[in-house]
Amino acid sequence: MCIRDRINKENKTMSLISSHYHQLYTPEDAAVVFIDHQPQMTFGVANINRADLINNVTLLAKAAKLFQVPTVITAVETEGFSGYVWPQLLDIFPGQHVIERTSMNSWDSDEFRKAIKATGRKNILLTGLWTEVCVTWPAIEMIGDGYNIYVVEDCCGATSKDAQKAALSRIVQAGGTRLTTIGALLEFQRDWKNKEHYDALMNLLKQQGGAYGVGVEYAYTMVHHAPQSALSPQVVKHDA
């Protein structure tokens, strides 16, 4: 192969790899994957507060359900080592089959690969424990197989901050994309004129959206004078 042909081939390859960077995903062309959100794996997480991690994962899961985005849940060595998937996650998708594996790399599992293919989606949002192994390895191979991989990094836990940083760097070098929970779910909404999921999404954010959610509650009640979200609203008594 001459130098010109090789350069043309490399340019074509780079164009295919980078094309998804110039497009936004939608609920109709994306899927969300939850990998190994299990107790034993959670114990080793050191890059993020674990309560924040659980909050982020469940918020993303609820948003995926709200927008009817296909989800895949998988677990490794459940009864032999890792424990059952978090109940907070299981209860969002009651009765959904959890794909059991022995390999640390989900992409080694035929059942997992079939489940991903069955979604019919090429834009895959990956979350999981641990980032440096159980997220990075399938991410790299899925990119190689033509999937656009988005790693929701604050829904991922690593054994150290350095491990998280190195893992994300490796994924990006392979062609993956980094994003965070709020950005991920707002990309499903895209336009505030789309009212189908607006109120339900706002309710999710008010409950689990951190400072953003608190701000939404404040704007609703204090600026727009909407009812409080609390089931038992606060009543301020004024002196006569």
Side-chain angles (χ1 to χ4, degrees):
M1 181 184 294
C2 69
I3 293 177
R4 179 179 296 175
D5 289 341
R6 186 167 69 246
I7 292 174
N8 288 338
K9 182 177 180 180
E10 290 174 353
N11 287 340
K12 183 177 180 180
T13 300
M14 288 304 297
S15 177
L16 290 172
I17 290 174
S18 64
S19 62
H20 76 281
Y21 291 126
H22 307 132
Q23 301 174 2
L24 299 180
Y25 60 77
T26 71
E28 291 74 36
D29 64 20
V32 182
V33 177
F34 299 96
I35 300 174
D36 303 349
H37 290 100
Q38 301 164 266
Q40 185 64 39
M41 307 305 296
T42 310
F43 297 153
V45 170
N47 68 299
I48 183 174
N49 179 281
R50 281 164 279 194
D52 290 340
L53 173 67
I54 294 171
N55 178 76
N56 294 337
V57 169
T58 55
L59 176 56
L60 180 62
K62 290 176 182 178
K65 185 173 184 178
L66 173 64
F67 286 93
Q68 298 182 314
V69 177
T71 58
V72 175
I73 304 174
T74 184
V76 65
E77 287 292 327
T78 295
E79 295 183 328
F81 178 75
S82 301
Y84 298 106
V85 170
W86 299 340
Q88 297 94 325
L89 182 56
L90 292 177
D91 286 346
I92 296 169
F93 306 104
Q96 178 162 330
H97 175 61
V98 176
I99 297 169
E100 182 71 16
R101 313 182 330 275
T102 57
S103 175
M104 289 177 278
N105 182 4
S106 300
W107 207 235
D108 288 340
S109 165
D110 288 339
E111 187 178 4
F112 180 82
R113 293 165 73 107
K114 289 176 181 176
I116 295 295
K117 185 176 181 180
T119 68
R121 312 297 172 86
K122 284 294 186 179
N123 295 322
I124 308 297
L125 280 64
L126 284 187
T127 71
L129 311 179
W130 297 323
T131 319
E132 64 265 44
V133 178
C134 301
V135 176
T136 298
W137 295 358
I140 290 172
E141 295 201 320
M142 291 174 76
I143 292 166
D145 284 346
Y147 289 91
N148 302 321
I149 298 300
Y150 300 83
V151 176
V152 189
E153 59 185 83
D154 56 354
C155 288
C156 299
T159 55
S160 69
K161 291 183 179 179
D162 284 342
Q164 179 83 347
K165 182 178 178 180
L168 293 171
S169 176
R170 188 177 180 190
I171 292 169
V172 169
Q173 288 171 350
T177 302
R178 297 170 59 181
L179 72 167
T180 54
T181 304
I182 297 296
L185 61 87
L186 290 182
E187 197 157 339
F188 291 144
Q189 173 65 29
R190 184 80 66 87
D191 193 328
W192 294 121
K193 75 180 179 184
N194 298 329
K195 299 301 183 182
E196 181 181 0
H197 304 104
Y198 183 94
D199 290 335
L201 178 60
M202 287 298 101
N203 286 334
L204 286 181
L205 288 170
K206 284 189 282 186
Q207 294 166 9
Q208 293 183 247
Y212 181 23
V214 171
V216 170
E217 178 71 12
Y218 179 85
Y220 269 46
T221 57
M222 305 306 290
V223 178
H224 301 291
H225 305 293
Q228 298 174 49
S229 297
L231 295 178
S232 298
Q234 179 183 352
V235 176
V236 178
K237 294 183 178 180
H238 301 278
D239 294 334

Coordinates of all heavy atoms in Angstrom, one line a residue, residues 145-192:
D145 N -16.0 -2.4 18.0 CA -17.1 -3.0 17.2 C -18.1 -2.1 16.7 O -19.2 -2.5 16.3 CB -17.8 -4.1 18.1 CG -16.9 -5.4 18.3 OD1 -16.0 -5.5 17.5 OD2 -17.2 -6.2 19.2
G146 N -17.8 -0.8 16.7 CA -18.7 0.2 16.1 C -19.7 0.9 16.9 O -20.5 1.7 16.4
Y147 N -19.6 0.7 18.3 CA -20.5 1.4 19.1 C -20.0 2.8 19.6 O -18.7 2.9 19.7 CB -20.9 0.6 20.4 CG -21.7 -0.6 20.1 CD1 -21.1 -1.8 19.8 CD2 -23.1 -0.5 20.1 CE1 -21.9 -3.0 19.5 CE2 -23.9 -1.7 19.8 CZ -23.3 -2.9 19.5 OH -24.0 -4.0 19.2
N148 N -20.8 3.7 19.8 CA -20.5 5.0 20.3 C -20.6 5.0 21.8 O -21.7 4.8 22.3 CB -21.3 6.2 19.7 CG -21.3 6.2 18.2 OD1 -20.2 6.1 17.6 ND2 -22.4 6.5 17.6
I149 N -19.5 5.1 22.5 CA -19.6 4.8 24.0 C -19.5 6.2 24.7 O -18.5 7.0 24.5 CB -18.4 3.9 24.4 CG1 -18.6 2.5 23.8 CG2 -18.4 3.8 25.9 CD1 -19.9 1.8 24.1
Y150 N -20.4 6.4 25.6 CA -20.5 7.5 26.5 C -20.4 7.0 27.9 O -21.2 6.3 28.4 CB -21.8 8.3 26.3 CG -22.0 8.8 24.9 CD1 -22.5 8.0 23.9 CD2 -21.7 10.1 24.6 CE1 -22.7 8.4 22.6 CE2 -21.9 10.6 23.3 CZ -22.4 9.7 22.3 OH -22.6 10.2 21.0
V151 N -19.3 7.4 28.6 CA -19.1 6.9 30.0 C -19.6 8.0 31.0 O -19.1 9.1 31.0 CB -17.6 6.6 30.3 CG1 -17.4 6.3 31.8 CG2 -17.1 5.5 29.4
V152 N -20.6 7.7 31.7 CA -21.2 8.6 32.7 C -20.3 8.5 33.9 O -20.6 7.6 34.8 CB -22.7 8.3 33.0 CG1 -23.3 9.4 33.8 CG2 -23.5 8.1 31.7
E153 N -19.3 9.3 34.0 CA -18.3 9.1 35.0 C -18.6 9.2 36.4 O -18.0 8.6 37.3 CB -17.1 10.0 34.6 CG -17.3 11.5 34.7 CD -16.1 12.2 34.2 OE1 -15.9 12.4 33.0 OE2 -15.3 12.7 35.1
D154 N -19.6 10.0 36.8 CA -20.0 10.1 38.2 C -21.0 9.0 38.5 O -21.6 9.0 39.7 CB -20.5 11.5 38.6 CG -21.7 12.0 37.7 OD1 -22.0 11.4 36.7 OD2 -22.2 13.1 38.0
C155 N -21.3 8.1 37.6 CA -22.0 6.9 37.9 C -21.1 5.7 37.9 O -21.5 4.5 37.8 CB -23.1 6.7 36.9 SG -24.5 7.8 37.0
C156 N -19.8 6.0 37.9 CA -18.8 5.0 37.9 C -17.9 5.1 39.1 O -17.6 6.3 39.5 CB -17.9 5.1 36.6 SG -18.8 4.9 35.1
G157 N -17.4 4.0 39.6 CA -16.5 4.1 40.8 C -15.3 3.4 40.5 O -15.3 2.3 40.0
A158 N -14.1 4.0 41.0 CA -12.8 3.3 40.8 C -12.2 3.2 42.2 O -12.7 3.8 43.2 CB -11.9 4.2 39.9
T159 N -11.1 2.5 42.2 CA -10.4 2.2 43.5 C -9.6 3.4 44.0 O -9.1 3.3 45.1 CB -9.5 1.0 43.4 OG1 -8.6 1.1 42.3 CG2 -10.4 -0.3 43.1
S160 N -9.4 4.4 43.2 CA -8.7 5.6 43.6 C -9.0 6.7 42.6 O -9.5 6.4 41.5 CB -7.2 5.4 43.7 OG -6.6 5.2 42.4
K161 N -8.7 8.0 42.9 CA -8.9 9.0 42.0 C -8.0 8.9 40.8 O -8.3 9.2 39.7 CB -8.7 10.4 42.7 CG -9.8 10.7 43.7 CD -9.6 12.1 44.3 CE -10.7 12.4 45.3 NZ -10.5 13.8 45.9
D162 N -6.7 8.4 41.1 CA -5.8 8.2 40.0 C -6.3 7.1 39.1 O -6.1 7.2 37.8 CB -4.4 7.8 40.5 CG -3.7 9.0 41.1 OD1 -4.0 10.1 40.8 OD2 -2.7 8.8 41.9
A163 N -6.9 6.0 39.6 CA -7.4 5.0 38.8 C -8.6 5.5 37.9 O -8.7 5.1 36.7 CB -7.9 3.8 39.7
Q164 N -9.4 6.3 38.4 CA -10.5 6.9 37.7 C -10.0 7.7 36.5 O -10.4 7.6 35.4 CB -11.4 7.7 38.6 CG -12.6 8.4 37.9 CD -13.8 7.5 37.7 OE1 -13.7 6.3 37.9 NE2 -14.9 8.1 37.3
K165 N -9.0 8.6 36.8 CA -8.4 9.4 35.8 C -7.7 8.7 34.7 O -7.9 8.9 33.5 CB -7.4 10.4 36.5 CG -6.7 11.4 35.6 CD -5.8 12.3 36.4 CE -5.1 13.2 35.4 NZ -4.1 14.1 36.2
A166 N -7.0 7.6 35.1 CA -6.3 6.8 34.1 C -7.3 6.1 33.2 O -7.1 5.9 32.0 CB -5.3 5.9 34.8
A167 N -8.3 5.5 33.9 CA -9.3 4.8 33.1 C -10.1 5.6 32.1 O -10.2 5.3 30.9 CB -10.3 4.1 34.1
L168 N -10.5 6.8 32.5 CA -11.2 7.7 31.6 C -10.3 8.2 30.5 O -10.7 8.3 29.3 CB -11.7 8.9 32.4 CG -12.8 8.6 33.4 CD1 -13.1 9.8 34.3 CD2 -14.1 8.1 32.7
S169 N -9.0 8.4 30.8 CA -8.0 8.8 29.8 C -7.9 7.7 28.7 O -7.9 7.9 27.5 CB -6.7 9.0 30.4 OG -5.7 9.3 29.4
R170 N -7.8 6.4 29.2 CA -7.7 5.3 28.2 C -9.0 5.2 27.4 O -8.8 4.9 26.2 CB -7.5 4.0 29.0 CG -7.1 2.8 28.2 CD -6.9 1.6 29.0 NE -6.5 0.4 28.1 CZ -6.4 -0.8 28.6 NH1 -6.6 -1.1 29.8 NH2 -6.1 -1.8 27.7
I171 N -10.1 5.4 28.0 CA -11.4 5.3 27.2 C -11.4 6.4 26.1 O -11.8 6.1 25.0 CB -12.6 5.3 28.1 CG1 -12.6 4.1 29.0 CG2 -13.9 5.5 27.3 CD1 -13.6 4.1 30.1
V172 N -11.1 7.6 26.5 CA -11.1 8.7 25.6 C -10.1 8.4 24.4 O -10.4 8.7 23.3 CB -10.8 10.0 26.3 CG1 -10.5 11.1 25.3 CG2 -12.0 10.4 27.2
Q173 N -8.9 7.9 24.8 CA -7.9 7.6 23.7 C -8.4 6.6 22.7 O -8.1 6.6 21.6 CB -6.6 7.1 24.4 CG -5.8 8.2 25.1 CD -4.7 7.7 25.9 OE1 -4.6 6.5 26.1 NE2 -3.8 8.6 26.4
A174 N -9.3 5.7 23.2 CA -9.9 4.7 22.4 C -11.1 5.2 21.5 O -11.5 4.5 20.6 CB -10.4 3.5 23.2
G175 N -11.5 6.4 21.9 CA -12.6 7.0 21.1 C -13.9 7.2 21.9 O -14.9 7.6 21.3
G176 N -13.9 7.0 23.2 CA -15.1 7.2 24.0 C -15.3 8.6 24.4 O -14.4 9.5 24.2
T177 N -16.4 8.9 25.0 CA -16.8 10.2 25.4 C -17.2 10.3 26.9 O -17.8 9.3 27.4 CB -18.0 10.7 24.6 OG1 -17.7 10.7 23.2 CG2 -18.4 12.2 25.0
R178 N -16.7 11.3 27.6 CA -17.0 11.4 29.0 C -18.2 12.4 29.2 O -18.3 13.4 28.4 CB -15.8 12.0 29.7 CG -14.6 11.2 29.7 CD -13.4 12.0 30.3 NE -13.6 12.4 31.6 CZ -12.7 13.2 32.3 NH1 -11.5 13.5 31.7 NH2 -12.9 13.6 33.5
L179 N -19.1 12.1 30.1 CA -20.1 13.0 30.5 C -20.6 12.7 31.9 O -20.1 11.7 32.5 CB -21.3 12.9 29.6 CG -22.2 11.7 29.6 CD1 -23.5 12.0 28.8 CD2 -21.6 10.5 28.9
T180 N -21.4 13.5 32.5 CA -21.9 13.3 33.9 C -23.4 13.2 33.9 O -24.1 13.4 32.9 CB -21.4 14.5 34.8 OG1 -21.9 15.7 34.2 CG2 -19.9 14.5 34.9
T181 N -23.9 12.8 35.0 CA -25.3 12.4 35.2 C -26.3 13.5 34.7 O -27.2 13.2 33.9 CB -25.7 12.1 36.6 OG1 -24.8 11.0 37.1 CG2 -27.1 11.6 36.7
I182 N -26.2 14.7 35.2 CA -27.1 15.8 34.8 C -27.1 16.0 33.3 O -28.1 16.1 32.7 CB -26.8 17.1 35.6 CG1 -27.0 16.9 37.1 CG2 -27.7 18.2 35.1 CD1 -28.4 16.5 37.5
G183 N -25.9 16.1 32.8 CA -25.7 16.3 31.3 C -26.3 15.2 30.5 O -27.0 15.4 29.5
A184 N -26.2 14.0 31.1 CA -26.7 12.8 30.4 C -28.2 12.8 30.3 O -28.8 12.5 29.2 CB -26.2 11.5 31.1
L185 N -28.9 13.1 31.4 CA -30.3 13.0 31.3 C -30.9 14.3 30.6 O -32.0 14.2 30.0 CB -30.9 12.8 32.7 CG -30.6 13.9 33.8 CD1 -31.6 15.0 33.8 CD2 -30.6 13.2 35.2
L186 N -30.2 15.4 30.7 CA -30.7 16.6 30.0 C -30.6 16.4 28.5 O -31.4 17.0 27.7 CB -30.0 17.8 30.5 CG -30.4 18.3 31.9 CD1 -29.6 19.6 32.2 CD2 -31.9 18.5 32.1
E187 N -29.7 15.6 28.1 CA -29.6 15.3 26.6 C -30.8 14.5 26.1 O -31.2 14.6 25.0 CB -28.3 14.6 26.3 CG -27.9 14.7 24.8 CD -26.4 14.5 24.6 OE1 -25.6 14.7 25.5 OE2 -26.0 14.1 23.4
F188 N -31.4 13.8 27.0 CA -32.6 13.1 26.6 C -33.7 14.1 26.5 O -34.6 14.0 25.5 CB -33.0 12.1 27.7 CG -32.2 10.9 27.9 CD1 -31.9 10.3 29.1 CD2 -31.6 10.3 26.7 CE1 -31.1 9.2 29.2 CE2 -30.8 9.1 26.9 CZ -30.6 8.6 28.1
Q189 N -33.8 15.1 27.3 CA -34.8 16.1 27.3 C -34.6 17.1 26.1 O -35.6 17.4 25.3 CB -34.9 16.9 28.6 CG -35.8 18.1 28.6 CD -37.3 17.7 28.4 OE1 -37.7 16.7 28.8 NE2 -38.1 18.6 27.8
R190 N -33.4 17.6 25.9 CA -33.0 18.4 24.8 C -33.6 19.8 24.8 O -33.0 20.8 24.7 CB -33.1 17.7 23.5 CG -32.6 18.5 22.3 CD -31.1 18.3 22.2 NE -30.8 16.9 21.9 CZ -30.8 16.3 20.7 NH1 -31.0 17.0 19.6 NH2 -30.5 15.0 20.6
D191 N -34.9 19.8 24.7 CA -35.7 21.1 24.5 C -36.8 21.2 25.5 O -37.6 20.3 25.6 CB -36.2 21.1 23.0 CG -36.7 22.4 22.6 OD1 -37.2 23.2 23.4 OD2 -36.6 22.7 21.4
W192 N -36.8 22.4 26.2 CA -37.8 22.6 27.2 C -39.2 22.7 26.7 O -40.2 22.6 27.4 CB -37.5 23.7 28.1 CG -36.2 23.5 28.9 CD1 -35.1 24.3 28.9 CD2 -36.0 22.5 29.9 NE1 -34.1 23.8 29.8 CE2 -34.7 22.7 30.4 CE3 -36.7 21.4 30.4 CZ2 -34.1 21.9 31.3 CZ3 -36.2 20.6 31.3 CH2 -34.9 20.8 31.8

